[in-house]
Amino acid sequence: MNGQEQINDYITSQPEPKHSEMKALHRIILDVMPACKLWFLDGKNSDNKTVANPSIGYGSYTITYANGKTKEFYQIGMSANTTGISVYIMGIADKNYLPQTYGKEIGKASVSGYCIKFKTLNDINVGVLEAAIRDGLAA
């Protein structure tokens, strides 16, 4: 199964209304990043043990670890969680930037240094989420 099939299966496997919300958000992110690399991470480690929620990734950036090693990873991510959806914006150095810049404007969401978590798209200002994604891409 290729990455696009895994992504479609993952979104389709979600119960409603999360299925429709993730499908809409997937389209929104692709509108912002039309030619991006797509990723699917199943959330399992090398021992096939589940260590995280599966996630869809968009784009590519290089993570540089403290020891100098590097790793290619996605720039923007989306994942279902127990209460809703998480959007990950990777690569912003200042962990206060997202909460300070978008926390009050985005609506009913939890905003951390790299994650915007919300129950439903109706709870947030989607334009503000798009602006946060664009900001993350510029970083």
Side-chain angles (χ1 to χ4, degrees):
M1 186 179 309
N2 69 31
Q4 187 61 55
E5 290 170 335
Q6 290 175 302
I7 290 167
N8 291 339
D9 284 354
Y10 175 58
I11 292 172
T12 302
S13 74
Q14 301 303 313
E16 285 296 350
K18 199 178 293 186
H19 164 101
S20 296
E21 300 252 327
M22 289 184 73
K23 190 173 180 178
L25 187 54
H26 181 65
R27 280 194 306 270
I28 289 166
I29 296 170
L30 289 176
D31 284 348
V32 173
M33 308 171 67
C36 70
K37 177 178 180 176
L38 289 175
W39 304 61
F40 181 76
L41 286 84
D42 63 7
K44 296 182 180 181
N45 67 11
S46 58
D47 296 326
N48 207 32
K49 181 179 177 185
T50 300
V51 294
N53 289 332
S55 61
I56 301 167
Y58 307 85
S60 178
Y61 94 106
T62 302
I63 297 172
T64 303
Y65 295 100
N67 66 4
K69 290 187 179 184
T70 61
K71 174 182 170 183
E72 182 185 17
F73 201 64
Y74 57 71
Q75 250 179 320
I76 307 298
M78 175 178 63
S79 179
N81 60 54
T82 55
T83 60
I85 300 169
S86 296
V87 174
Y88 306 98
I89 301 175
M90 310 303 288
I92 297 176
D94 180 355
K95 296 304 173 196
N96 294 313
Y97 182 78
L98 280 178
Q100 289 175 349
T101 307
Y102 299 104
K104 290 185 173 120
E105 295 179 25
I106 198 154
K108 194 174 174 184
S110 166
V111 183
S112 71
Y114 67 93
C115 181
I116 299 172
K117 189 184 311 185
F118 51 90
K119 185 172 182 175
T120 172
L121 286 173
N122 292 329
D123 287 345
I124 65 165
N125 181 326
V126 175
V128 172
L129 177 63
E130 286 180 34
I133 290 169
R134 290 180 197 281
D135 230 356
L137 295 175

